[in-house]
Amino acid sequence: MTTTTLKDGDFCKVIAGTHKGKSGFVQDINTSKTGQITITVLQKDGVRFKTLGKNVEVSKAE
């Protein structure tokens, strides 16, 4: 598994956690006090959800 830097606008696919199997565009990247990276993902149908950065992998837009 390679580590890449997440950027706003990247297309990503969720590979673990509650939202496993969903995909969309990275919108909001935050780092918590404990060091965890949280992101907001915007799906094609306009639905947004939050997930941890470690649960996603960057891929090409489908």
Side-chain angles (χ1 to χ4, degrees), residues 1-59:
M1 183 182 234
T2 59
T3 304
T4 56
T5 307
L6 288 171
K7 299 182 304 275
D8 282 347
D10 284 347
F11 188 82
C12 68
K13 183 176 180 181
V14 182
I15 57 172
T18 304
H19 301 289
K20 184 176 180 179
K22 294 182 181 179
S23 59
F25 294 95
V26 176
Q27 279 200 324
D28 188 24
I29 303 171
N30 292 311
T31 305
S32 69
K33 289 187 229 179
T34 60
Q36 293 289 333
I37 296 172
T38 60
I39 62 171
T40 301
V41 178
L42 174 65
Q43 293 180 300
K44 289 183 180 182
D45 60 2
V47 176
R48 292 186 176 117
F49 62 90
K50 289 190 178 278
T51 189
L52 292 174
K54 68 179 184 176
N55 291 341
V56 301
E57 71 178 9
V58 177
S59 62

